[in-house]
Structures are given as C-alpha cells and as structure tokens.
Amino acid sequence: MAKSLDEVLAGLEPVRRRKIEERASQLIAEELSLRELRKARELTQAQVAATLGITQDGVSRLEKRSDLLISTLRKTIKAMGGDLKLVASFPDQAPVELSGISDTKF
C-alpha cells in the first residue's frame, strides 16, 4: 500500500526531516509570483502602492502581468524591501550576474 508524503516524513529522523523541509522552503522561495512574494513579505497591495506612488488597483494589475519591464519589476521589488538581480545561466559556464540593465534610482 502506498504511503502519503506525511507518513514518509513522519518516519524520518528529525534531523533529516528538518533538512528536507528547509530545502523545500528554499525551492518554494525560488519560484514565487509577485503576488506570492508580496504576501510572503507580509505586505498589502495598498502598502506597495503607497511606496510606488500608484493605486492599489495598479499593484493588482502588475501582479497579474506576465510581461513586465525590468525597470518596473525592479521598482516593485524595491518597494517590497528587496533588490532585483538578473542572472544569465548557461550550460557550459557559471551563472553571470548582469549589470547596467535598467539601473534606475528609486
């Protein structure tokens, strides 16, 4: 009979289970939408809107878009207290952090 994930995790040693949970949290954090990121930072759309100088509805529209200008994304991340870094990944070399792309002062 198949076991559920909870059953498998419950059967692991506490140290191993904690490592798995930490890695899962890392992976989840790597793949968040703007909306999920804002919520994880415990910010409301109104708070982000006030920092950006736009309306709450504007933040809602930003969070629904799949194609943003880098400068818009950078400002939104900055409004949440973070910094945006662009990294190019290639199969034959280490990742490269891009600089000078839409560097705007906010």
Side-chain angles (χ1 to χ4, degrees):
M1 177 179 222
K3 291 184 179 182
S4 71
L5 177 59
D6 289 335
E7 291 170 334
V8 172
L9 289 175
L12 297 175
E13 294 181 22
V15 172
R16 178 77 174 131
R17 187 172 55 246
R18 188 173 63 249
K19 285 183 180 180
I20 290 170
E21 289 168 351
E22 287 172 0
R23 180 63 179 140
S25 293
Q26 288 173 341
L27 291 172
I28 290 168
E30 291 173 4
E31 294 292 331
L32 293 179
S33 68
L34 278 178
R35 179 178 183 262
E36 293 164 335
L37 179 59
R38 176 186 50 77
K39 286 185 170 195
R41 303 279 305 153
E42 298 181 352
L43 296 167
T44 65
Q45 287 181 340
Q47 289 170 310
V48 174
T51 304
L52 290 172
I54 62 175
T55 64
Q56 174 272 323
D57 184 54
V59 173
S60 178
R61 283 187 307 233
L62 276 174
E63 291 179 348
K64 292 176 184 172
R65 293 190 59 185
S66 61
D67 187 16
L68 293 171
L69 292 173
I70 294 171
S71 59
T72 301
L73 181 57
R74 179 173 276 117
K75 287 176 186 176
T76 304
I77 296 297
K78 202 106 157 117
M80 292 185 213
D83 289 310
L84 179 66
K85 295 180 187 263
L86 298 175
V87 177
S89 300
F90 301 94
D92 60 341
Q93 72 180 60
V96 177
E97 186 175 324
L98 302 174
S99 62
I101 298 178
S102 187
D103 283 335
T104 57
K105 301 296 179 208
F106 181 67

